[in-house]
Every structure is written in C-alpha cells, then in structure tokens.
Amino acid sequence: MKFTPCFLVAFLFFFSCQKELKIAFEPYEFYTSSCENCPEVTLVMPKGLGKSKISETINSTLEKHVILLLSFDEETEATTINEAIDSFKLGYLNFQKQYNHEATKWEVEINGKVSYEDTHYLTIELSSYIFTGGAHGYSSTQLVNFDKRSSHQISNAELFINVDDFRTFAEKKFREKEKIPQNKSINYSGLMFEDDIFYLPENMGFTQKGLKLLYNPYEVSSFAEGPIEMVLSHNEVKKYLSKTQF
C-alpha cells in the first residue's frame, strides 16, 4: 500500500491523537451556605466532559461513591448527589432534635482528583472527611480505576493477570516496608490483619510514582496510626498487570 504525503501526515496525526488522547474534565463544586443550624458540606471533584461512554461511566461511578458517603437518613434512598446532600442535612437535623445538648455541627468534605492517566488506565482519588459528633471525625481515601478503552470501572482483580501472584509479591514488599521479618506473623509489629493473614487492601490505584496500595484507618491498624500505604513502582508491578504501557 502506498501513502501520499498528505495521507501519511493525516494518518500519523490521527494515530498520535489516539495514543495521547486524554479525558477532559471540569471541576464539580458544591458548598453549603453558612447558617447556624446547617451541617457544612464541601464537595470538589472532577467531572468528565462530553457524552462519551467513559465520561458517563466516570461521572456515574463517582456519583455513587459520593451518595454512599453522604446518605445518613435511613428513610430516604438518595439517587443523586443533591438528594444525598439533603439526606445528610436531614440526618443532622433529626440528630439535633433528639440530642440537642450534644449536637455538634456535622461537616463533610470530599475532594477528588485524577491521580493517574495513560492509554489504558485512569485512576481517580477520592478523599473524604466526615464528622458527625464524637471525639473526632473520620478520614478515608478511595481509589477508583477505569479502563479507558472498554469504558468501565475496573475491579481490583481485573488489574492483574493473576491476583494471587501479585498478593505474594505485595506481601514481601509490605513486610520489607513495615520491617516485619518474613518468618514472623504479619501482625508481628502490632497490625490487625484478620486471621493473621496478609490480604490486599480494598483501595489500589495508580499514581505517577506507581501502584498505590492503601489501607484506611481501622482496616489493619488503629485509628491513631492513620492510613497505611505502600507505592510499588511501575517497573515493579508491570509484569503482574493485565494491561500496561510502562
């Protein structure tokens, strides 16, 4: 097949665009107006632009995560972010009626950002802080992965060719990081893995430095110790991944 110069330039331009294609986002922001008897809600996260399937998947997935974080009124089943915010407000007002002398103002802050994007993967990091009374609030982070080409959210298992092989590798690296001897219990240093067996965290996702494994407070350690995380370089993990361009 022969290519004319113009056709060749157009072909290379199209190929380059396909290879470098990045998803366009705009910030989605919500802030409650300040009032004495209102809980404080701050929400800032990326919103995929356009009507592409991947943008729709990202937006609907993040919406579900936010709804789950904000839903506090058991009588109302929220299906949108606005309904979830109303649920959070109603939960606070009901609590205030029942325990007026103890009703500290509730607050929630949710921040999302794109932590990584390449030809195959896109990872969004969703950090949240929720205070609904008590001695302290609770902070957590969720890492949500997407397959750009198939336009669907990826489960942790789908990230790997063989999840058991990766688990074995991750445990070795985790023990090195936490200074746990290979011949000792995984809870040797005071961690709280159930049944004293290492397992992968619910939250794993890509960053520019590599694959982040994140245990939120209470998952394998006390609240006082905070989150426990480990980042494995792209070169270290690429042989375990089902798809890679590293």
Side-chain angles (χ1 to χ4, degrees), residues 179-207:
K179 297 179 173 57
I180 304 170
Q182 297 295 330
N183 62 343
K184 296 292 185 180
S185 157
I186 192 65
N187 291 333
Y188 171 79
S189 62
L191 295 174
M192 298 182 292
F193 281 90
E194 188 175 351
D195 298 325
D196 206 7
I197 298 173
F198 176 84
Y199 45 82
L200 296 171
E202 293 183 8
N203 287 287
M204 295 187 285
F206 296 101
T207 71

PDB file of all heavy atoms in Angstrom, residues 179-207:
ATOM      1  N   LYS A 179       9.064  -3.509  58.090  1.00  0.00           N
ATOM      2  CA  LYS A 179      10.093  -4.182  58.889  1.00  0.00           C
ATOM      3  C   LYS A 179       9.537  -5.384  59.667  1.00  0.00           C
ATOM      4  O   LYS A 179       9.778  -5.561  60.859  1.00  0.00           O
ATOM      5  CB  LYS A 179      10.764  -3.183  59.839  1.00  0.00           C
ATOM      6  CG  LYS A 179      11.515  -2.071  59.106  1.00  0.00           C
ATOM      7  CD  LYS A 179      12.141  -1.098  60.087  1.00  0.00           C
ATOM      8  CE  LYS A 179      13.041  -0.087  59.361  1.00  0.00           C
ATOM      9  NZ  LYS A 179      12.328   0.683  58.318  1.00  0.00           N
ATOM     10  N   ILE A 180       8.782  -6.207  58.938  1.00  0.00           N
ATOM     11  CA  ILE A 180       8.233  -7.446  59.502  1.00  0.00           C
ATOM     12  C   ILE A 180       9.026  -8.611  58.927  1.00  0.00           C
ATOM     13  O   ILE A 180       9.004  -8.830  57.716  1.00  0.00           O
ATOM     14  CB  ILE A 180       6.737  -7.601  59.143  1.00  0.00           C
ATOM     15  CG1 ILE A 180       5.937  -6.382  59.613  1.00  0.00           C
ATOM     16  CG2 ILE A 180       6.162  -8.891  59.747  1.00  0.00           C
ATOM     17  CD1 ILE A 180       4.508  -6.354  59.087  1.00  0.00           C
ATOM     18  N   PRO A 181       9.739  -9.347  59.751  1.00  0.00           N
ATOM     19  CA  PRO A 181      10.530 -10.476  59.223  1.00  0.00           C
ATOM     20  C   PRO A 181       9.669 -11.460  58.448  1.00  0.00           C
ATOM     21  O   PRO A 181       8.500 -11.693  58.786  1.00  0.00           O
ATOM     22  CB  PRO A 181      11.099 -11.121  60.498  1.00  0.00           C
ATOM     23  CG  PRO A 181      11.099 -10.024  61.514  1.00  0.00           C
ATOM     24  CD  PRO A 181       9.895  -9.186  61.203  1.00  0.00           C
ATOM     25  N   GLN A 182      10.241 -12.028  57.385  1.00  0.00           N
ATOM     26  CA  GLN A 182       9.495 -12.952  56.534  1.00  0.00           C
ATOM     27  C   GLN A 182       9.034 -14.197  57.301  1.00  0.00           C
ATOM     28  O   GLN A 182       8.038 -14.816  56.925  1.00  0.00           O
ATOM     29  CB  GLN A 182      10.352 -13.367  55.333  1.00  0.00           C
ATOM     30  CG  GLN A 182      10.728 -12.220  54.406  1.00  0.00           C
ATOM     31  CD  GLN A 182       9.534 -11.591  53.696  1.00  0.00           C
ATOM     32  OE1 GLN A 182       8.541 -12.252  53.429  1.00  0.00           O
ATOM     33  NE2 GLN A 182       9.640 -10.306  53.389  1.00  0.00           N
ATOM     34  N   ASN A 183       9.735 -14.558  58.355  1.00  0.00           N
ATOM     35  CA  ASN A 183       9.376 -15.764  59.109  1.00  0.00           C
ATOM     36  C   ASN A 183       8.510 -15.472  60.329  1.00  0.00           C
ATOM     37  O   ASN A 183       8.272 -16.343  61.158  1.00  0.00           O
ATOM     38  CB  ASN A 183      10.642 -16.512  59.549  1.00  0.00           C
ATOM     39  CG  ASN A 183      11.519 -15.676  60.479  1.00  0.00           C
ATOM     40  OD1 ASN A 183      11.368 -14.454  60.558  1.00  0.00           O
ATOM     41  ND2 ASN A 183      12.430 -16.337  61.174  1.00  0.00           N
ATOM     42  N   LYS A 184       8.035 -14.221  60.441  1.00  0.00           N
ATOM     43  CA  LYS A 184       7.181 -13.847  61.571  1.00  0.00           C
ATOM     44  C   LYS A 184       5.746 -13.613  61.110  1.00  0.00           C
ATOM     45  O   LYS A 184       5.463 -13.440  59.921  1.00  0.00           O
ATOM     46  CB  LYS A 184       7.705 -12.568  62.232  1.00  0.00           C
ATOM     47  CG  LYS A 184       9.080 -12.707  62.874  1.00  0.00           C
ATOM     48  CD  LYS A 184       9.039 -13.622  64.085  1.00  0.00           C
ATOM     49  CE  LYS A 184      10.386 -13.651  64.778  1.00  0.00           C
ATOM     50  NZ  LYS A 184      10.379 -14.532  65.972  1.00  0.00           N
ATOM     51  N   SER A 185       4.831 -13.579  62.063  1.00  0.00           N
ATOM     52  CA  SER A 185       3.431 -13.297  61.787  1.00  0.00           C
ATOM     53  C   SER A 185       3.288 -11.927  61.122  1.00  0.00           C
ATOM     54  O   SER A 185       4.044 -10.999  61.419  1.00  0.00           O
ATOM     55  CB  SER A 185       2.640 -13.328  63.096  1.00  0.00           C
ATOM     56  OG  SER A 185       1.444 -12.588  62.993  1.00  0.00           O
ATOM     57  N   ILE A 186       2.313 -11.778  60.232  1.00  0.00           N
ATOM     58  CA  ILE A 186       2.088 -10.491  59.578  1.00  0.00           C
ATOM     59  C   ILE A 186       1.681  -9.425  60.602  1.00  0.00           C
ATOM     60  O   ILE A 186       1.885  -8.233  60.400  1.00  0.00           O
ATOM     61  CB  ILE A 186       1.012 -10.609  58.455  1.00  0.00           C
ATOM     62  CG1 ILE A 186       1.005  -9.345  57.586  1.00  0.00           C
ATOM     63  CG2 ILE A 186      -0.366 -10.887  59.040  1.00  0.00           C
ATOM     64  CD1 ILE A 186       2.268  -9.122  56.800  1.00  0.00           C
ATOM     65  N   ASN A 187       1.131  -9.857  61.744  1.00  0.00           N
ATOM     66  CA  ASN A 187       0.750  -8.926  62.814  1.00  0.00           C
ATOM     67  C   ASN A 187       1.849  -8.778  63.866  1.00  0.00           C
ATOM     68  O   ASN A 187       1.603  -8.271  64.964  1.00  0.00           O
ATOM     69  CB  ASN A 187      -0.545  -9.399  63.479  1.00  0.00           C
ATOM     70  CG  ASN A 187      -1.748  -9.264  62.547  1.00  0.00           C
ATOM     71  OD1 ASN A 187      -1.762  -8.419  61.648  1.00  0.00           O
ATOM     72  ND2 ASN A 187      -2.751 -10.104  62.747  1.00  0.00           N
ATOM     73  N   TYR A 188       3.038  -9.170  63.511  1.00  0.00           N
ATOM     74  CA  TYR A 188       4.194  -9.151  64.419  1.00  0.00           C
ATOM     75  C   TYR A 188       4.441  -7.758  64.996  1.00  0.00           C
ATOM     76  O   TYR A 188       4.796  -7.612  66.164  1.00  0.00           O
ATOM     77  CB  TYR A 188       5.420  -9.647  63.652  1.00  0.00           C
ATOM     78  CG  TYR A 188       6.738  -9.500  64.357  1.00  0.00           C
ATOM     79  CD1 TYR A 188       7.126 -10.400  65.351  1.00  0.00           C
ATOM     80  CD2 TYR A 188       7.621  -8.459  64.014  1.00  0.00           C
ATOM     81  CE1 TYR A 188       8.345 -10.270  65.988  1.00  0.00           C
ATOM     82  CE2 TYR A 188       8.844  -8.322  64.643  1.00  0.00           C
ATOM     83  CZ  TYR A 188       9.206  -9.221  65.631  1.00  0.00           C
ATOM     84  OH  TYR A 188      10.423  -9.091  66.262  1.00  0.00           O
ATOM     85  N   SER A 189       4.253  -6.723  64.190  1.00  0.00           N
ATOM     86  CA  SER A 189       4.556  -5.356  64.628  1.00  0.00           C
ATOM     87  C   SER A 189       3.352  -4.632  65.222  1.00  0.00           C
ATOM     88  O   SER A 189       3.422  -3.438  65.492  1.00  0.00           O
ATOM     89  CB  SER A 189       5.113  -4.550  63.453  1.00  0.00           C
ATOM     90  OG  SER A 189       4.151  -4.451  62.414  1.00  0.00           O
ATOM     91  N   GLY A 190       2.246  -5.355  65.421  1.00  0.00           N
ATOM     92  CA  GLY A 190       1.074  -4.734  66.033  1.00  0.00           C
ATOM     93  C   GLY A 190      -0.057  -4.433  65.074  1.00  0.00           C
ATOM     94  O   GLY A 190      -1.058  -3.811  65.464  1.00  0.00           O
ATOM     95  N   LEU A 191       0.061  -4.866  63.827  1.00  0.00           N
ATOM     96  CA  LEU A 191      -1.035  -4.672  62.874  1.00  0.00           C
ATOM     97  C   LEU A 191      -2.178  -5.623  63.204  1.00  0.00           C
ATOM     98  O   LEU A 191      -2.050  -6.503  64.072  1.00  0.00           O
ATOM     99  CB  LEU A 191      -0.524  -4.904  61.441  1.00  0.00           C
ATOM    100  CG  LEU A 191       0.529  -3.901  60.960  1.00  0.00           C
ATOM    101  CD1 LEU A 191       1.063  -4.300  59.598  1.00  0.00           C
ATOM    102  CD2 LEU A 191      -0.049  -2.489  60.914  1.00  0.00           C
ATOM    103  N   MET A 192      -3.296  -5.451  62.495  1.00  0.00           N
ATOM    104  CA  MET A 192      -4.503  -6.202  62.851  1.00  0.00           C
ATOM    105  C   MET A 192      -5.133  -6.864  61.628  1.00  0.00           C
ATOM    106  O   MET A 192      -6.339  -6.745  61.384  1.00  0.00           O
ATOM    107  CB  MET A 192      -5.508  -5.280  63.545  1.00  0.00           C
ATOM    108  CG  MET A 192      -4.990  -4.682  64.848  1.00  0.00           C
ATOM    109  SD  MET A 192      -6.181  -3.638  65.710  1.00  0.00           S
ATOM    110  CE  MET A 192      -6.302  -2.249  64.564  1.00  0.00           C
ATOM    111  N   PHE A 193      -4.326  -7.571  60.849  1.00  0.00           N
ATOM    112  CA  PHE A 193      -4.873  -8.329  59.730  1.00  0.00           C
ATOM    113  C   PHE A 193      -5.748  -9.458  60.281  1.00  0.00           C
ATOM    114  O   PHE A 193      -5.338 -10.191  61.185  1.00  0.00           O
ATOM    115  CB  PHE A 193      -3.754  -8.921  58.877  1.00  0.00           C
ATOM    116  CG  PHE A 193      -3.114  -7.950  57.935  1.00  0.00           C
ATOM    117  CD1 PHE A 193      -2.009  -7.203  58.332  1.00  0.00           C
ATOM    118  CD2 PHE A 193      -3.613  -7.781  56.653  1.00  0.00           C
ATOM    119  CE1 PHE A 193      -1.408  -6.299  57.460  1.00  0.00           C
ATOM    120  CE2 PHE A 193      -3.020  -6.890  55.772  1.00  0.00           C
ATOM    121  CZ  PHE A 193      -1.916  -6.146  56.178  1.00  0.00           C
ATOM    122  N   GLU A 194      -6.948  -9.577  59.735  1.00  0.00           N
ATOM    123  CA  GLU A 194      -7.870 -10.611  60.197  1.00  0.00           C
ATOM    124  C   GLU A 194      -7.280 -11.998  59.975  1.00  0.00           C
ATOM    125  O   GLU A 194      -6.717 -12.278  58.913  1.00  0.00           O
ATOM    126  CB  GLU A 194      -9.201 -10.484  59.449  1.00  0.00           C
ATOM    127  CG  GLU A 194     -10.294 -11.379  59.989  1.00  0.00           C
ATOM    128  CD  GLU A 194     -11.624 -11.140  59.307  1.00  0.00           C
ATOM    129  OE1 GLU A 194     -11.726 -10.164  58.530  1.00  0.00           O
ATOM    130  OE2 GLU A 194     -12.546 -11.919  59.545  1.00  0.00           O
ATOM    131  N   ASP A 195      -7.410 -12.852  60.995  1.00  0.00           N
ATOM    132  CA  ASP A 195      -6.886 -14.225  60.975  1.00  0.00           C
ATOM    133  C   ASP A 195      -5.376 -14.268  60.801  1.00  0.00           C
ATOM    134  O   ASP A 195      -4.816 -15.309  60.447  1.00  0.00           O
ATOM    135  CB  ASP A 195      -7.560 -15.057  59.877  1.00  0.00           C
ATOM    136  CG  ASP A 195      -9.057 -15.204  60.090  1.00  0.00           C
ATOM    137  OD1 ASP A 195      -9.471 -15.285  61.263  1.00  0.00           O
ATOM    138  OD2 ASP A 195      -9.801 -15.228  59.090  1.00  0.00           O
ATOM    139  N   ASP A 196      -4.732 -13.113  61.033  1.00  0.00           N
ATOM    140  CA  ASP A 196      -3.266 -13.044  60.951  1.00  0.00           C
ATOM    141  C   ASP A 196      -2.749 -13.445  59.569  1.00  0.00           C
ATOM    142  O   ASP A 196      -1.687 -14.060  59.425  1.00  0.00           O
ATOM    143  CB  ASP A 196      -2.645 -13.945  62.020  1.00  0.00           C
ATOM    144  CG  ASP A 196      -1.254 -13.462  62.424  1.00  0.00           C
ATOM    145  OD1 ASP A 196      -0.851 -12.376  61.975  1.00  0.00           O
ATOM    146  OD2 ASP A 196      -0.568 -14.189  63.162  1.00  0.00           O
ATOM    147  N   ILE A 197      -3.526 -13.090  58.530  1.00  0.00           N
ATOM    148  CA  ILE A 197      -3.163 -13.415  57.152  1.00  0.00           C
ATOM    149  C   ILE A 197      -3.129 -12.128  56.334  1.00  0.00           C
ATOM    150  O   ILE A 197      -4.078 -11.336  56.361  1.00  0.00           O
ATOM    151  CB  ILE A 197      -4.168 -14.402  56.527  1.00  0.00           C
ATOM    152  CG1 ILE A 197      -4.161 -15.729  57.300  1.00  0.00           C
ATOM    153  CG2 ILE A 197      -3.848 -14.644  55.052  1.00  0.00           C
ATOM    154  CD1 ILE A 197      -5.238 -16.689  56.854  1.00  0.00           C
ATOM    155  N   PHE A 198      -2.050 -11.918  55.573  1.00  0.00           N
ATOM    156  CA  PHE A 198      -1.945 -10.734  54.727  1.00  0.00           C
ATOM    157  C   PHE A 198      -2.980 -10.780  53.609  1.00  0.00           C
ATOM    158  O   PHE A 198      -3.200 -11.822  52.981  1.00  0.00           O
ATOM    159  CB  PHE A 198      -0.551 -10.634  54.110  1.00  0.00           C
ATOM    160  CG  PHE A 198      -0.400  -9.481  53.152  1.00  0.00           C
ATOM    161  CD1 PHE A 198      -0.094  -8.214  53.624  1.00  0.00           C
ATOM    162  CD2 PHE A 198      -0.576  -9.663  51.784  1.00  0.00           C
ATOM    163  CE1 PHE A 198       0.040  -7.147  52.740  1.00  0.00           C
ATOM    164  CE2 PHE A 198      -0.440  -8.604  50.899  1.00  0.00           C
ATOM    165  CZ  PHE A 198      -0.140  -7.333  51.380  1.00  0.00           C
ATOM    166  N   TYR A 199      -3.613  -9.640  53.362  1.00  0.00           N
ATOM    167  CA  TYR A 199      -4.520  -9.527  52.222  1.00  0.00           C
ATOM    168  C   TYR A 199      -4.370  -8.140  51.615  1.00  0.00           C
ATOM    169  O   TYR A 199      -3.941  -7.189  52.276  1.00  0.00           O
ATOM    170  CB  TYR A 199      -5.976  -9.786  52.612  1.00  0.00           C
ATOM    171  CG  TYR A 199      -6.432  -9.095  53.886  1.00  0.00           C
ATOM    172  CD1 TYR A 199      -6.828  -7.760  53.885  1.00  0.00           C
ATOM    173  CD2 TYR A 199      -6.466  -9.795  55.096  1.00  0.00           C
ATOM    174  CE1 TYR A 199      -7.254  -7.140  55.044  1.00  0.00           C
ATOM    175  CE2 TYR A 199      -6.884  -9.186  56.262  1.00  0.00           C
ATOM    176  CZ  TYR A 199      -7.274  -7.848  56.238  1.00  0.00           C
ATOM    177  OH  TYR A 199      -7.681  -7.237  57.397  1.00  0.00           O
ATOM    178  N   LEU A 200      -4.698  -8.052  50.342  1.00  0.00           N
ATOM    179  CA  LEU A 200      -4.600  -6.785  49.631  1.00  0.00           C
ATOM    180  C   LEU A 200      -5.677  -5.825  50.118  1.00  0.00           C
ATOM    181  O   LEU A 200      -6.765  -6.249  50.521  1.00  0.00           O
ATOM    182  CB  LEU A 200      -4.744  -7.011  48.134  1.00  0.00           C
ATOM    183  CG  LEU A 200      -3.648  -7.856  47.472  1.00  0.00           C
ATOM    184  CD1 LEU A 200      -4.023  -8.181  46.028  1.00  0.00           C
ATOM    185  CD2 LEU A 200      -2.301  -7.148  47.522  1.00  0.00           C
ATOM    186  N   PRO A 201      -5.416  -4.524  50.082  1.00  0.00           N
ATOM    187  CA  PRO A 201      -6.419  -3.553  50.520  1.00  0.00           C
ATOM    188  C   PRO A 201      -7.554  -3.411  49.505  1.00  0.00           C
ATOM    189  O   PRO A 201      -7.423  -3.801  48.342  1.00  0.00           O
ATOM    190  CB  PRO A 201      -5.617  -2.252  50.610  1.00  0.00           C
ATOM    191  CG  PRO A 201      -4.539  -2.417  49.597  1.00  0.00           C
ATOM    192  CD  PRO A 201      -4.165  -3.871  49.633  1.00  0.00           C
ATOM    193  N   GLU A 202      -8.649  -2.854  49.965  1.00  0.00           N
ATOM    194  CA  GLU A 202      -9.772  -2.582  49.068  1.00  0.00           C
ATOM    195  C   GLU A 202      -9.405  -1.479  48.078  1.00  0.00           C
ATOM    196  O   GLU A 202      -9.964  -1.423  46.982  1.00  0.00           O
ATOM    197  CB  GLU A 202     -11.008  -2.165  49.873  1.00  0.00           C
ATOM    198  CG  GLU A 202     -11.588  -3.276  50.737  1.00  0.00           C
ATOM    199  CD  GLU A 202     -12.848  -2.836  51.461  1.00  0.00           C
ATOM    200  OE1 GLU A 202     -13.338  -1.724  51.165  1.00  0.00           O
ATOM    201  OE2 GLU A 202     -13.325  -3.586  52.322  1.00  0.00           O
ATOM    202  N   ASN A 203      -8.491  -0.610  48.480  1.00  0.00           N
ATOM    203  CA  ASN A 203      -8.139   0.530  47.640  1.00  0.00           C
ATOM    204  C   ASN A 203      -6.735   0.385  47.060  1.00  0.00           C
ATOM    205  O   ASN A 203      -5.729   0.414  47.782  1.00  0.00           O
ATOM    206  CB  ASN A 203      -8.227   1.827  48.454  1.00  0.00           C
ATOM    207  CG  ASN A 203      -9.661   2.223  48.715  1.00  0.00           C
ATOM    208  OD1 ASN A 203     -10.361   2.676  47.806  1.00  0.00           O
ATOM    209  ND2 ASN A 203     -10.127   2.023  49.939  1.00  0.00           N
ATOM    210  N   MET A 204      -6.698   0.207  45.750  1.00  0.00           N
ATOM    211  CA  MET A 204      -5.448   0.180  44.994  1.00  0.00           C
ATOM    212  C   MET A 204      -5.652   1.011  43.744  1.00  0.00           C
ATOM    213  O   MET A 204      -6.691   0.919  43.089  1.00  0.00           O
ATOM    214  CB  MET A 204      -5.070  -1.256  44.617  1.00  0.00           C
ATOM    215  CG  MET A 204      -4.746  -2.148  45.803  1.00  0.00           C
ATOM    216  SD  MET A 204      -4.113  -3.779  45.306  1.00  0.00           S
ATOM    217  CE  MET A 204      -5.638  -4.556  44.759  1.00  0.00           C
ATOM    218  N   GLY A 205      -4.663   1.821  43.417  1.00  0.00           N
ATOM    219  CA  GLY A 205      -4.803   2.644  42.225  1.00  0.00           C
ATOM    220  C   GLY A 205      -3.472   3.234  41.806  1.00  0.00           C
ATOM    221  O   GLY A 205      -2.496   3.229  42.568  1.00  0.00           O
ATOM    222  N   PHE A 206      -3.427   3.771  40.597  1.00  0.00           N
ATOM    223  CA  PHE A 206      -2.183   4.258  40.022  1.00  0.00           C
ATOM    224  C   PHE A 206      -1.915   5.722  40.376  1.00  0.00           C
ATOM    225  O   PHE A 206      -2.834   6.540  40.486  1.00  0.00           O
ATOM    226  CB  PHE A 206      -2.206   4.100  38.500  1.00  0.00           C
ATOM    227  CG  PHE A 206      -2.266   2.672  38.054  1.00  0.00           C
ATOM    228  CD1 PHE A 206      -3.468   2.108  37.637  1.00  0.00           C
ATOM    229  CD2 PHE A 206      -1.132   1.877  38.074  1.00  0.00           C
ATOM    230  CE1 PHE A 206      -3.534   0.785  37.237  1.00  0.00           C
ATOM    231  CE2 PHE A 206      -1.181   0.550  37.681  1.00  0.00           C
ATOM    232  CZ  PHE A 206      -2.387   0.005  37.266  1.00  0.00           C
ATOM    233  N   THR A 207      -0.644   6.017  40.557  1.00  0.00           N
ATOM    234  CA  THR A 207      -0.150   7.386  40.682  1.00  0.00           C
ATOM    235  C   THR A 207       1.011   7.526  39.703  1.00  0.00           C
ATOM    236  O   THR A 207       1.403   6.557  39.052  1.00  0.00           O
ATOM    237  CB  THR A 207       0.346   7.685  42.107  1.00  0.00           C
ATOM    238  OG1 THR A 207       1.573   6.957  42.336  1.00  0.00           O
ATOM    239  CG2 THR A 207      -0.685   7.263  43.149  1.00  0.00           C
TER     240      THR A 207
END
